[in-house]
Amino acid sequence: MFFYDMESRGDLALYEYLYRCIRHDIAHGKVEPGQKLPSKRALAKQLGVSLITIEAAYDQLVAEGYIRSRERCGYYACDLAPAAKIEEPRSVRHRAEAAKATATNGGRENHAANPNGPQPVSQDGERPKSSTDYRPTIDPAAAPSDADFVPTIDGSAAPCPQNTPSDASLLADFTHSTLATTMLPYSAWAKAVRRTLSDESAASLAEAASAAGSPELRSAIADHLRQYRGMDVSPGQVVIGAGSQTLYQLLVQLLGRTRRYAVEDPGYPLLTRMYEQQDAQVAHIGLDDSGIDIDALEASGASVAHIMPSHQFPTGIVTTAARRRELLNWAREGDRYLIEDDYDSEFRMAGRPIPSLFSIDAAERVLYLNSFAKSLGAAFRMAYLVLPPQLAQRFCKQLGFYANTVSPLDQLALARFIEQGHYDRHVNRLRTHARKTQDALVNALHEAFGDRIAFAGLNDGLHFIMQLESERGERELATAAEAAGIRIAPLSSFAGTASLSGAPTGTEPQANTASETSPARFILRSDSTSIEESPAVANALANAWT
């Protein structure tokens, strides 16, 4: 019989503990690739837990690419790439030890399931093994960008096209949102600013002006990442900057202009231009269902890859566990680095957050980048880097002469805002609001379009993909929508950037990533409209596309 050690679970939710144990067994080869896992009902009965607990654990493993579902067959372990060095990251070990030390009351089951989570990733492979007697090993060690997109109809990242409704007359703009700004608790922020002006010394303001930024804010960010992203970092590894674009420039100076930088295609429209303005070579790498194409990355000659593994923009792809391991192995070869752009990880609406690539990197080749623009609004031009220890030391030596680009007052006020819990409560409210507006919009669109419409990437972040069966091209449909007062971005408008930027031969994007052929696909933001406006927006879009 299977024995469940409640003390080893500590204060973790039961579904999260089971997910971590099964993930540990798959990652360490205790479960072989293709091996079948017990059915949800069988495992629930064996462990004496609810079915919804097993569903939540399995859904999270599917979302991260550790297992896959085969219709009417069950769940099977995915084939992970061999790791050059397999070890639990320090953050995982620390959380496991803390969980064991604080296990005093056993806790209760957490019944948070993921009914609308990501669909299983299709994966070809050999016939699965027939063994069905796998049992999770309950091992304590196992319990471990910043701007809105405004592409034009012709595909470029520029202001809106001519002869279309002005911003003021738009019924809906799915390329932009001011929700974070309008929902900010200004009274709490004003109080933080006043206390900062009252309490902080001239010395604190001077420290905040240093190249890496305020020690108080860097410490608050490190604590936040440790608690919510499982990243074991020190404040000395954190660098503050005035938005992601400023940090991109520092990255090129830190890593070197003679390198070739790989970017995802389709991807963030301005990323290529910003790297090229720093005189860096850029390679555009296509995507498949698992993430960035590792073979194309290897062939490109790039030594730095800028990726969005937790929720890729614009496709919404979540990089699978197998591909993440391949990327880490790629980075270990030679002087290579991965830049992990985690721009909207706070807004995953179902299941637990996808673990950061930084948190599972044993070789210290991952640089982590995030911004406060999505959570606090574009008016707060603050973003941050987390550097591996050796690069943090290089930053101090090579770039320590710079003055920080963020106001010392804003940095110290934000540190208070985070430490007092206002930031986390604000993000929770935003996430809840975005989930409600997304559900209302999706329901209204289903009512308006019926079977002609489908969605991908729901609940994964602030944007998702709408797919429409139509004989008209994406850009023709987008033009018709804008004439009706709805600004919407075709997925194809973010592809093909290699032809615009003079990328090296052989780095053109894959043709099947985004095209003008049916079905047409568009990017929608979950926070760009209201619950009350959703039916009118859906009907207007349906009328424009009839």
Side-chain angles (χ1 to χ4, degrees), residues 188-336:
W189 175 254
K191 185 177 180 179
V193 172
R194 288 194 298 269
R195 290 294 302 271
T196 300
L197 288 170
S198 172
D199 297 349
E200 295 297 337
S201 64
S204 297
L205 295 172
E207 285 183 325
S210 64
S214 160
E216 290 84 354
L217 180 55
R218 294 160 69 196
S219 179
I221 290 173
D223 290 342
H224 175 80
L225 292 175
R226 187 175 300 108
Q227 182 174 359
Y228 292 99
R229 297 298 283 132
M231 295 169 56
D232 185 19
V233 302
S234 71
Q237 294 173 252
V238 180
V239 177
I240 311 297
S244 295
Q245 297 179 21
T246 298
L247 294 179
Y248 296 151
Q249 299 175 30
L250 290 178
L251 281 172
V252 174
Q253 294 180 53
L254 182 65
L255 298 178
R257 289 185 171 86
T258 59
R259 294 177 179 271
R260 179 169 293 172
Y261 291 75
V263 297
E264 297 166 321
D265 199 339
Y268 178 44
L270 298 181
L271 193 57
T272 293
R273 297 183 184 182
M274 287 184 286
Y275 277 128
E276 289 183 337
Q277 286 299 313
Q278 296 297 307
D279 296 326
Q281 298 182 63
V282 179
H284 293 80
I285 312 298
L287 307 168
D288 58 28
D289 289 343
S290 298
I292 192 170
D293 187 327
I294 194 70
D295 292 331
L297 177 60
E298 187 71 52
S300 71
S303 59
V304 179
H306 190 130
I307 57 177
M308 300 179 182
S310 294
H311 187 222
Q312 201 271 341
F313 181 86
T315 65
I317 292 171
V318 177
T319 301
T320 63
R323 185 60 50 83
R324 287 168 182 253
R325 185 171 287 190
E326 290 174 338
L327 285 166
L328 291 174
N329 288 343
W330 173 86
R332 290 187 179 102
E333 298 294 328
D335 187 25
R336 293 173 174 174

Side-chain angles (χ1 to χ4, degrees), residues 48-372:
V49 299
S50 68
L51 179 61
I52 201 169
T53 297
I54 304 301
E55 287 177 341
Y58 276 16
D59 284 344
Q60 189 66 32
L61 290 164
V62 168
E64 295 182 19
Y66 284 95
I67 65 176
R68 64 185 182 275
S69 173
R70 294 189 175 181
E71 190 174 358
R72 294 188 295 275
C73 292
Y75 291 89
Y76 299 84
C78 291
D79 187 2
L80 304 185
K85 180 180 180 182
I86 300 177
E87 67 177 43
E88 293 288 353
R90 291 175 297 166
S91 57
V92 173
R93 295 198 301 271
H94 288 176
R95 291 199 307 276
E97 293 168 1
K100 186 173 181 179
T102 57
T104 57
N105 58 8
R108 296 192 299 269
E109 286 187 33
N110 186 316
H111 289 178
N114 182 6
N116 298 317
Q119 296 300 309
V121 177
S122 60
Q123 179 173 333
D124 296 330
E126 297 181 318
R127 183 176 179 179
K129 302 180 188 300
S130 59
S131 56
T132 59
D133 58 348
Y134 162 71
R135 299 293 183 267
T137 302
I138 305 300
D139 181 354
S145 323
D146 118 310
D148 291 314
F149 54 93
V150 189
T152 62
I153 301 305
D154 65 3
S156 61
C160 60
Q162 298 178 351
N163 301 321
T164 56
S166 66
D167 289 350
S169 63
L170 285 173
L171 179 62
D173 184 355
F174 289 111
T175 68
H176 181 71
S177 173
T178 59
L179 180 64
T181 302
T182 57
M183 290 187 65
L184 185 74
Y186 284 99
S187 59
W189 175 254
K191 185 177 180 179
V193 172
R194 288 194 298 269
R195 290 294 302 271
T196 300
L197 288 170
S198 172
D199 297 349
E200 295 297 337
S201 64
S204 297
L205 295 172
E207 285 183 325
S210 64
S214 160
E216 290 84 354
L217 180 55
R218 294 160 69 196
S219 179
I221 290 173
D223 290 342
H224 175 80
L225 292 175
R226 187 175 300 108
Q227 182 174 359
Y228 292 99
R229 297 298 283 132
M231 295 169 56
D232 185 19
V233 302
S234 71
Q237 294 173 252
V238 180
V239 177
I240 311 297
S244 295
Q245 297 179 21
T246 298
L247 294 179
Y248 296 151
Q249 299 175 30
L250 290 178
L251 281 172
V252 174
Q253 294 180 53
L254 182 65
L255 298 178
R257 289 185 171 86
T258 59
R259 294 177 179 271
R260 179 169 293 172
Y261 291 75
V263 297
E264 297 166 321
D265 199 339
Y268 178 44
L270 298 181
L271 193 57
T272 293
R273 297 183 184 182
M274 287 184 286
Y275 277 128
E276 289 183 337
Q277 286 299 313
Q278 296 297 307
D279 296 326
Q281 298 182 63
V282 179
H284 293 80
I285 312 298
L287 307 168
D288 58 28
D289 289 343
S290 298
I292 192 170
D293 187 327
I294 194 70
D295 292 331
L297 177 60
E298 187 71 52
S300 71
S303 59
V304 179
H306 190 130
I307 57 177
M308 300 179 182
S310 294
H311 187 222
Q312 201 271 341
F313 181 86
T315 65
I317 292 171
V318 177
T319 301
T320 63
R323 185 60 50 83
R324 287 168 182 253
R325 185 171 287 190
E326 290 174 338
L327 285 166
L328 291 174
N329 288 343
W330 173 86
R332 290 187 179 102
E333 298 294 328
D335 187 25
R336 293 173 174 174
Y337 291 98
L338 296 166
I339 299 173
E340 178 180 16
D341 199 330
D342 206 26
Y343 78 104
D344 76 342
S345 61
E346 302 94 335
F347 296 99
R348 182 172 173 81
M349 303 173 195
R352 65 189 303 278
I354 302 297
S356 68
L357 198 62
F358 188 101
S359 67
I360 60 173
D361 173 30
E364 299 182 340
R365 311 302 295 180
V366 178
L367 296 75
Y368 180 91
L369 175 68
N370 207 337
S371 169
F372 290 104

